[in-house]
Amino acid sequence: MDLKGQINRRTFLRRVAVGAAGVSVIGLWLRQVSPMVDHCFAGVGGNCPILPISDPAQSQFSGDNFHRAHGILWAKATYLSKKGGIPKPSEKTDLMILGGGLSGLIAAFQLKHLKPLIVDQAPQFGGNAKGERWGNTQYSIGAAYVTPPEEGGAVLKLFKELGIDQLYRIDTTSVDWGHTHIAGKLMRGFWDGVTDPQNAEQFRRVYKRLIEVRDNAYPDIPWKPQSQISQAEHDRLDRMPFSEWMKKELGDLHPHVAEFLHEYCWSSCGGLPHELSSAQVLNFIASDIHSIAVFPGGNAAITHALFSKLHVELGESRLRSGCFVVDVKVSDAGVEVCYEDAEGHLKTVAAKAVVI
């Protein structure tokens, strides 16, 4: 979400890391939950982003569940027929927000004066930035870190409003990408060539080029007139597969660097280098290459703080988990949203405006 119409990737969540790139960071910050985080649990309902677990061996599966979505959307007409069709609106609201992940919760927080109704399909809010808590240990099961907020910027202001501005720490080990596991050994200094000192220059050359992109030719998404590169150059990068950019700009790669970039693309962008836009990948990796801000338990600390504030501001009835949106219809009067609630019943809400 663009908080003021001017926030790009580097001034907000330049990348929320999931997978290999993020998991390596979490090991740094598995500590006892601080009092600042602990207060978030007071008076918060059971659909909060951080799920307390009494016994990990007995706990239920807490990852993404695709069966419900597939069962509804792959045969929507049949599903609606069995349910008796889309019901007429039984509720009205000025604003409805579909999705209770980081973006949805930030949108709700920024627009809380409108008393939004927020629905999310999962049992827990938080989306890709959920976490779990076992005893005094809080850990992420998704997004792991954010880019350090700029002094005086909108992100730091948000963190202060949430009371978490003193909770994160800056990890500069991302300059060398911190921890690298090779043949069962934990190594540090990847971009200094620690995994192959004889060919360290091949690592430094790639790192230097990525830093140059970050500082001088960063591909903002979306492109803006104040971006470092022209729109024509941005569009050219967007049409170019990242594999082509790698070959053109980086030349022959050390196998370890090639593997890193391959895994980074898969972990962060959900595809392989030849499947992804150069603008997309550079937008991600150039933002991450310098330093990161890590909260205890990853980005679940942010979503939990947002949820806690909204829980107080709006009340639990406005934060509905387990609600799968089936249909969204725009009309002259506004927007009608039909969703299946946690009990399997269809309900329709008439809203003046909807954020998806």
Side-chain angles (χ1 to χ4, degrees):
M1 178 185 177
D2 191 329
L3 299 180
K4 295 184 178 179
Q6 299 295 324
I7 295 177
N8 60 30
R9 183 171 179 77
R10 289 179 298 170
T11 53
F12 190 54
L13 301 179
R14 302 178 199 173
R15 185 172 75 84
V16 175
V18 184
V23 170
S24 64
V25 178
I26 288 303
L28 301 175
W29 209 204
L30 282 178
R31 299 289 187 270
Q32 284 195 336
V33 181
S34 73
M36 289 190 72
V37 177
D38 200 48
H39 87 277
C40 292
F41 289 92
V44 175
N47 52 355
C48 59
I50 299 175
L51 179 66
I53 294 177
S54 58
D55 181 359
Q58 301 297 323
S59 62
Q60 295 181 342
F61 175 73
S62 56
D64 293 331
N65 185 343
F66 304 104
H67 296 294
R68 186 183 188 191
H70 292 173
I72 294 175
L73 298 183
W74 283 5
K76 181 177 172 180
T78 302
Y79 164 82
L80 288 175
S81 177
K82 290 180 179 179
K83 291 285 185 176
I86 296 175
K88 292 182 179 181
S90 59
E91 186 176 1
K92 293 182 179 180
T93 186
D94 287 338
L95 176 64
M96 191 169 182
I97 295 176
L98 313 186
L102 190 56
S103 296
L105 291 173
I106 288 176
F109 187 74
Q110 296 294 323
L111 300 170
K112 58 183 179 293
H113 60 283
L114 297 176
K115 303 298 181 183
L117 169 62
I118 312 138
V119 296
D120 192 88
Q121 65 169 316
Q124 310 295 131
F125 275 81
N128 195 38
K130 288 195 285 282
E132 293 179 343
R133 180 181 182 183
W134 180 32
N136 286 329
T137 299
Q138 180 177 310
Y139 52 91
S140 169
I141 57 173
Y145 60 84
V146 298
T147 309
E150 297 176 1
E151 193 64 40
V155 177
L156 188 56
K157 179 184 177 183
L158 174 65
F159 288 172
K160 288 180 178 179
E161 289 183 58
L162 296 175
I164 59 174
D165 57 303
Q166 300 298 314
L167 190 55
Y168 67 87
R169 78 175 190 191
I170 303 298
D171 175 26
T172 56
T173 60
S174 62
V175 173
D176 57 24
W177 285 86
H179 302 74
T180 305
H181 292 268
I182 300 289
K185 294 182 179 180
L186 182 64
M187 301 180 180
R188 300 188 65 156
F190 178 77
W191 291 112
D192 286 327
V194 67
T195 61
D196 187 359
Q198 297 297 321
N199 296 290
E201 185 55 36
Q202 296 183 42
F203 293 75
R204 297 191 185 105
R205 174 176 57 83
V206 173
Y207 177 76
K208 180 181 178 181
R209 184 69 186 97
L210 293 174
I211 289 294
E212 289 173 350
V213 171
R214 183 200 69 187
D215 292 343
N216 305 308
Y218 185 76
D220 287 313
I221 297 178
W223 180 86
K224 295 182 176 68
Q226 62 267 35
S227 297
Q228 293 176 340
I229 60 177
S230 67
Q231 186 170 11
E233 174 62 13
H234 181 279
D235 292 345
R236 185 185 71 84
L237 286 173
D238 200 33
R239 290 191 298 267
M240 179 190 298
F242 184 60
S243 56
E244 184 178 329
W245 187 92
M246 289 166 55
K247 184 177 181 180
K248 179 181 177 181
E249 299 288 337
L250 305 179
D252 293 333
L253 293 174
H254 188 284
H256 294 176
V257 176
E259 177 67 12
F260 169 83
L261 293 174
H262 181 281
E263 294 299 328
Y264 184 93
C265 287
W266 184 252
S267 164
S268 302
C269 303
L272 301 177
H274 71 275
E275 299 172 319
L276 300 169
S277 150
S278 296
Q280 177 190 5
V281 179
L282 292 172
N283 176 270
F284 273 50
I285 194 170
S287 297
D288 289 343
I289 202 79
H290 182 57
S291 59
I292 55 177
V294 186
F295 285 88
N299 291 359
I302 305 173
T303 54
H304 206 291
L306 285 162
F307 181 91
S308 300
K309 292 285 187 179
L310 291 168
H311 192 270
V312 173
E313 185 80 19
L314 305 177
E316 191 166 359
S317 65
R318 307 295 286 180
L319 293 155
R320 302 177 188 176
S321 61
C323 296
F324 189 92
V325 174
V326 177
D327 191 77
V328 180
K329 182 171 64 178
V330 180
S331 68
D332 294 337
V335 187
E336 291 187 1
V337 177
C338 176
Y339 68 88
E340 181 189 82
D341 67 14
E343 285 73 44
H345 305 301
L346 285 184
K347 294 183 179 179
T348 301
V349 177
K352 294 181 180 178
V354 169
V355 174
I356 300 178

